[in-house]
Amino acid sequence: MRHLSFLFFFFFVAIAFSQAPSGYQAPPKAIADLIDAPPTPGVSLSPDNTRMLILDRAGLKSIKELGAAELRLAGLRLNPRTNGPSRASYYTGIAVKGVVAGAEESISGMPPSAKISDVSWNKDGSYVAFLNTTEDGIELWVVDVERRSARQLTAALVSDAVGSPYEWFDGGRSLLYKKIPAGRGPVPQAPEVPAGPVAQSNEGVAAPVRTYQDLLKNPFDEQLFEYFASAELFRIDIAGGEEKPMNVGGILTDFTPSPDGKYLLVEKLKRPFSYIVPWYRFASETAIVDADGKLVRLLADLPAAESLPKGFNAVPTGPRRFGWRNDHPAMVWWVEARDGGDPNTDAEVRDQLMLLEAPFRADPVAGPKFQLRFAGLTWGDGDLAITYERWWRTRHSITRKWTPGQPGAEPEVLFDRSYEDRYSDPGSFVTTTNDFGKSVLLTTDGGKTLFLTGQGASPEGNRPFVDQFDLETKTARRLWRSEAPFYEVPVELIDAEKRIVLTRREANYEQPNYFLRNLKTGQLTQITFFPNPYESLKGVKKEFVQFKRADGVDMSGTLYLPAGYDKEKDGPLPVFMWAYPREYKNAAAAGQVSGSPYTFIRVSPSSPILWVADGYAVFHNVSMPVIGEGDQEPNETFVEQLKMNAEAAVKVLADMGVGDPGRIAIGGHSYGAFMTANLLAHTDLFAAGIARSGAYNRTLTPFGFQSEERTWWEAPEIYYKMSPFNFADEIKEPILLIHGMADNNSGTFPMQSERMYAALKGHGATVKLVMLPHESHGYRARESLMHVAWETTLWLDKYVRNRDVNGTKP
């Protein structure tokens, strides 16, 4: 009898384990095959537009690769063995082909088992440099493009911990690179006994900062950061491989040669390091040095930006945003705030551009003033530049034409608009490479004509375009626009006079490939032939759905229906709806269509579109606008607007007859996960929810989150009402919480999901928490992605597909 009892117990345990398998699991084969689909190669065009590189992408990482040793310091994640980033993506091979004609040709001498990154052409396109990461370091390599051969330039001593690892120099005949300091000694070891407590203090200075992760925490972290981030600058000759020190060292975050190659603009971090902001807000020095590393002029010596004013347009006082004038041998520029860097003060002038010309002994010359916050500039040959300025709270954007030869002259306004208004977006000015090898505006007709390219948002979806822009009349003339049933994006204007443009063209069932298009004749020539990695999705139906919510705001989403689905025969389907809320200051802008009905049906390894292969209708990228016009902020009615959005989305599926309103799952990632939990807490519209890497308790992000500038102390009722954690007792539908254990995104600490799970469990909810080892905010390892798909499939099948038509629980 005891034996029988034992056998019964063993059988029961075996059954229990078979029902709850341990370890990483795999989803159904149709989904697994899509996750494992080979990635499409990348492309890089030469400066003279005659050649292109075909860059083979690496497949998914393994969990072993993702779990390699990692240091988390000052907002960086470093591999201590390589002295470089720990979570980088790599190319595995490089080939070369002519743009106009010629077959794809392989490169000889490439490193075995290559892990290629930071690929860049030199000025004339004769060489390509790249980094190769090995088990124990990072090497600098170069490709002789004409000979189709590669060779190693340095040992595995390149420092790629922070900032750019290398720059082209001397007209593309040599390279500057950051080298691990000679004799830096062994890696510092943590003290067995702490030297004392870790203390921070503040003496009455307001220092609101967001919830950054991976910050320095103690003196030992400071030691490690300085050890791995410090480097020495070396120059290496391409032809002979000789190298020499540049006599520049420290924690180098930027080292940019002047266009004439006689000077370097160098930025380096310095102590004291901060424990409350990442490395890019540490104390720093910016200086100009000559080609021998000798100091020419110190431009800025700035403290850590720990106490910026509150708001998205807050900036430090003093010089910032340094760069070289691209059309001048050696003129440096920067920007200085004229409002104390505080967006909360009234000011007619927010920023001003400053310029300083070699030999850098004179006082800087004041350039144009900006009524909004400076947002960038584009230099052009021939005494021309385009400046950009923006203001977050009003979504106001101004683009101006400026004449650098008259620094103090008032620039002419070209575009003055709301950048939320996608339909009025004029596009971006096309650039080319000048004799210095720098990017400048592409012009014709003696500098009177420029060119614009853009996504071409319209009520029928995005239709990318190429425009010709007359600087004198400030008017644009359309040269070409993408036409249905294709989605075609201009990549490069190969020949402005002949109107030849390189485009990337795709359709629902046609993989994106590159074409040469003659804008005058319409002739189209295909130059790449990348295969479709998703052949199994060719029968899937894709439909761009437009509808309205109750207050009249326009909404849209992309609906995917399984191959062979027949509405009359098969009836309404279970639905997986996926969305991400976005804030707007204008209802008209919020209702504008984004995306295109003609893009290729592509699926990333974490995409909800995967489940169309498992028989679900997938309603993807459903617009979830949250609007706050005038003085009202969007978040004042965040929950109410989410409910209206969701009600409209569910209704349109029911009205179309393709979605069963009793069997719809809502899902989202990050802020979409936050949305998912809120919708389950405040509506009864969904059968279940799937929330990945979300934040659920806004008191854990008290100095702002997403697009919310106000602090918890300024708007406690908003923080409370928007936090689904506070309404955990109202969540009655099953919810699957997934989170990476190594999430480093601001605000989405893994603790957010852990605390949400505890709250839900404490109230008897149906909930499961899946914590993914080694994963950050986005999931990278093949094992993790397969397991997420497995968990998602089980959840959808149990609580959505197999829920009966009356909406009762199984």
Side-chain angles (χ1 to χ4, degrees):
M1 191 70 177
R2 288 179 60 192
H3 293 299
L4 184 61
S5 298
F6 178 79
L7 288 173
F8 177 81
F9 175 76
F10 181 83
F11 177 76
F12 175 81
V13 171
I15 289 294
F17 273 106
S18 69
Q19 291 174 338
S22 61
Y24 289 105
Q25 303 297 318
K29 186 176 184 302
I31 292 176
D33 288 347
L34 291 172
I35 293 174
D36 274 335
T40 299
V43 167
S44 176
L45 204 61
S46 65
D48 63 1
N49 299 326
T50 62
R51 296 184 176 101
M52 64 165 48
L53 302 179
I54 308 298
L55 304 164
D56 293 329
R57 302 180 193 273
L60 296 173
K61 290 180 179 289
S62 69
I63 195 67
K64 180 180 179 181
E65 290 177 285
L66 201 66
E70 180 178 70
L71 297 173
R72 302 173 186 178
L73 302 167
L76 297 169
R77 293 195 164 180
L78 304 175
N79 182 333
R81 293 186 64 179
T82 65
N83 213 102
S86 59
R87 295 170 181 262
S89 296
Y90 299 110
Y91 299 112
T92 58
I94 302 177
V96 179
K97 78 175 301 296
V99 170
V100 176
E104 188 176 313
E105 298 182 57
S106 61
I107 306 294
S108 65
M110 291 291 289
S113 304
K115 291 184 176 181
I116 297 166
S117 63
D118 297 84
V119 179
S120 71
W121 295 85
N122 73 340
K123 183 177 75 172
D124 62 9
S126 57
Y127 289 100
V128 170
F130 66 88
L131 299 182
N132 179 52
T133 299
T134 69
E135 288 296 316
D136 299 305
I138 301 172
E139 308 160 342
L140 181 58
W141 284 65
V142 68
V143 173
D144 184 320
V145 177
E146 197 64 42
R147 296 180 179 179
R148 306 291 196 269
S149 63
R151 56 193 168 87
Q152 184 177 340
L153 283 180
T154 74
L157 294 172
V158 175
S159 175
D160 191 19
V162 60
S164 176
Y166 74 86
E167 294 283 349
W168 283 103
F169 191 60
D170 191 27
R173 294 186 292 272
S174 63
L175 287 157
L176 302 177
Y177 79 98
K178 292 193 301 190
K179 188 175 184 178
I180 294 172
R184 71 174 178 179
V187 178
Q189 298 299 307
E192 294 184 7
V193 179
V198 177
Q200 301 181 59
S201 66
N202 185 64
E203 298 184 6
V205 178
V209 293
R210 292 210 164 195
T211 48
Y212 298 112
Q213 301 196 50
D214 296 344
L215 300 177
L216 299 181
K217 298 180 290 295
N218 52 51
F220 177 61
D221 278 358
E222 293 186 55
Q223 273 187 286
L224 286 175
F225 175 70
E226 194 162 36
Y227 179 88
F228 285 102
S230 295
E232 296 172 338
L233 199 61
F234 274 73
R235 174 181 176 177
I236 187 164
D237 180 68
I238 295 296
E242 299 87 2
E243 69 175 35
K244 70 171 187 177
M246 295 292 291
N247 303 313
V248 175
I251 304 178
L252 304 173
T253 58
D254 191 34
F255 53 99
T256 310
S258 60
D260 65 5
K262 295 181 179 179
Y263 303 95
L264 290 177
L265 183 60
V266 177
E267 181 185 276
K268 60 177 73 174
L269 305 182
K270 64 174 192 174
R271 286 180 177 270
F273 301 142
S274 174
Y275 288 13
I276 65 171
V277 294
W279 67 270
Y280 50 84
R281 289 176 61 174
F282 281 9
S284 65
E285 290 181 354
T286 302
I288 297 171
V289 302
D290 64 20
D292 295 319
K294 182 180 178 181
L295 179 66
V296 174
R297 181 160 178 165
L298 180 65
L299 297 175
D301 186 352
L302 303 174
E306 291 186 334
S307 54
L308 295 184
K310 180 174 62 68
F312 288 116
N313 281 125
V315 295
T317 56
R320 72 181 199 279
R321 298 281 296 264
F322 294 89
W324 293 107
R325 180 173 162 179
N326 287 356
D327 63 331
H328 191 283
M331 180 183 287
V332 70
W333 63 270
W334 65 88
V335 178
E336 294 185 12
R338 295 289 179 252
D339 61 354
D342 189 350
N344 304 295
T345 62
D346 293 329
E348 292 184 4
V349 176
R350 294 290 180 182
D351 280 332
Q352 186 165 23
L353 193 72
M354 308 297 293
L355 302 109
L356 184 62
E357 187 175 3
F360 311 109
R361 299 191 187 99
D363 292 333
V365 174
K369 299 174 181 178
F370 303 101
Q371 72 181 69
L372 310 178
R373 191 65 75 208
F374 174 78
L377 61 81
T378 306
W379 297 101
D381 284 332
D383 205 21
L384 171 67
I386 304 294
T387 66
Y388 310 93
E389 51 194 293
R390 281 188 167 198
W391 198 247
W392 162 255
R393 288 178 189 169
T394 58
R395 313 304 199 261
H396 188 189
S397 171
I398 304 176
T399 303
R400 306 178 194 259
K401 168 196 169 186
W402 174 52
T403 305
Q406 305 171 39
E410 184 74 17
E412 297 180 48
V413 175
L414 299 180
F415 312 118
D416 189 334
R417 52 183 291 275
S418 167
Y419 61 79
E420 278 190 336
D421 182 5
R422 295 187 295 272
Y423 292 175
S424 72
D425 187 352
S428 301
F429 286 105
V430 176
T431 60
T432 187
T433 303
N434 67 4
D435 291 340
F436 291 124
K438 303 294 184 180
S439 178
V440 294
L441 293 163
L442 174 62
T443 62
T444 59
D445 304 323
K448 297 178 183 178
T449 300
L450 281 70
F451 297 89
L452 290 159
T453 60
Q455 67 177 7
S458 73
E460 63 263 30
N462 291 347
R463 295 181 61 188
F465 64 86
V466 179
D467 281 358
Q468 177 179 301
F469 187 81
D470 188 314
L471 273 176
E472 293 184 347
T473 63
K474 302 178 187 176
T475 57
R477 181 170 68 87
R478 185 129 301 169
L479 300 178
W480 169 82
R481 190 184 191 192
S482 180
E483 297 288 344
F486 297 96
Y487 180 74
E488 192 170 355
V489 180
V491 175
E492 190 74 30
L493 194 52
I494 300 290
D495 190 320
E497 298 293 343
K498 295 181 179 179
R499 302 294 195 260
I500 305 296
V501 63
L502 177 71
T503 70
R504 186 178 65 250
R505 191 173 194 246
E506 60 190 273
N508 285 172
Y509 308 110
E510 292 187 22
Q511 160 79 10
N513 270 291
Y514 291 84
F515 292 75
L516 285 177
R517 175 177 284 279
N518 187 313
L519 302 185
K520 291 182 177 180
T521 67
Q523 182 181 356
L524 194 65
T525 305
Q526 186 169 351
I527 59 173
T528 67
F529 297 86
F530 303 136
N532 181 354
Y534 311 119
E535 289 289 339
S536 63
L537 296 181
K538 276 202 168 181
V540 168
K541 182 183 178 183
K542 176 183 177 182
E543 183 177 351
F544 197 63
V545 181
Q546 296 177 266
F547 53 102
K548 292 180 183 290
R549 71 185 195 186
D551 61 357
V553 172
D554 291 314
M555 295 178 62
S556 62
T558 304
L559 178 65
Y560 297 87
L561 298 173
Y565 170 69
D566 184 319
K567 182 172 66 174
E568 302 304 323
K569 176 183 174 183
D570 302 322
L573 292 170
V575 180
F576 190 11
M577 186 185 299
W578 193 264
Y580 189 95
R582 299 191 185 278
E583 297 87 347
Y584 296 89
K585 291 297 292 178
N586 181 280
Q592 291 180 349
V593 173
S594 63
S596 167
Y598 306 115
T599 53
F600 177 59
I601 300 177
R602 61 170 62 79
V603 290
S604 71
S606 59
S607 172
I609 303 172
L610 292 168
W611 280 273
V612 77
D614 197 34
Y616 288 84
V618 177
F619 204 16
H620 191 224
N621 284 337
V622 178
S623 56
M624 286 279 169
V626 183
I627 305 160
E629 295 190 296
D631 294 333
Q632 187 182 57
E633 292 298 322
N635 287 341
E636 302 290 341
T637 54
F638 179 85
V639 171
E640 292 82 356
Q641 292 194 61
L642 276 191
K643 290 168 66 175
M644 272 198 295
N645 294 334
E647 287 165 355
V650 169
K651 182 177 184 299
V652 74
L653 293 175
D655 290 348
M656 292 172 68
V658 298
D660 181 347
R663 295 188 297 160
I664 301 178
I666 183 67
H669 183 91
S670 194
Y671 210 52
F674 176 71
M675 169 208 72
T676 295
N678 264 304
L679 286 173
L680 294 186
H682 298 290
T683 77
D684 293 316
L685 294 169
F686 300 100
I690 296 173
R692 300 180 189 165
S693 299
Y696 309 102
N697 183 349
R698 285 305 169 193
T699 66
L700 297 177
T701 56
F703 286 103
F705 58 90
Q706 201 70 8
S707 296
E708 180 57 66
E709 291 184 294
R710 294 167 296 184
T711 70
W712 181 88
W713 297 271
E714 292 173 310
E717 68 287 352
I718 300 300
Y719 278 66
Y720 180 87
K721 189 176 180 181
M722 288 182 66
S723 296
F725 177 85
N726 295 325
F727 302 92
D729 59 329
E730 298 295 328
I731 296 179
K732 307 303 181 184
E733 295 80 17
I735 182 169
L736 173 62
L737 302 172
I738 302 173
H739 215 119
M741 290 184 182
D743 193 335
N744 66 335
N745 183 58
S746 179
T748 55
F749 302 100
M751 173 176 50
Q752 288 272 8
S753 287
E754 293 168 343
R755 296 292 182 266
M756 188 66 181
Y757 172 75
L760 290 164
K761 182 179 179 183
H763 287 92
T766 299
V767 58
K768 184 174 185 179
L769 173 64
V770 179
M771 301 297 290
L772 302 172
H774 306 304
E775 293 291 355
S776 187
H777 193 58
Y779 315 144
R780 302 284 301 279
R782 180 180 183 274
E783 292 89 340
S784 300
L785 291 161
M786 290 288 185
H787 190 84
V788 167
W790 178 76
E791 294 278 10
T792 302
T793 300
L794 291 184
W795 203 258
L796 291 175
D797 284 354
K798 183 174 183 180
Y799 296 111
V800 181
R801 191 202 301 271
N802 296 324
R803 201 182 197 207
D804 70 32
V805 293
N806 296 316
T808 59
K809 295 181 180 180

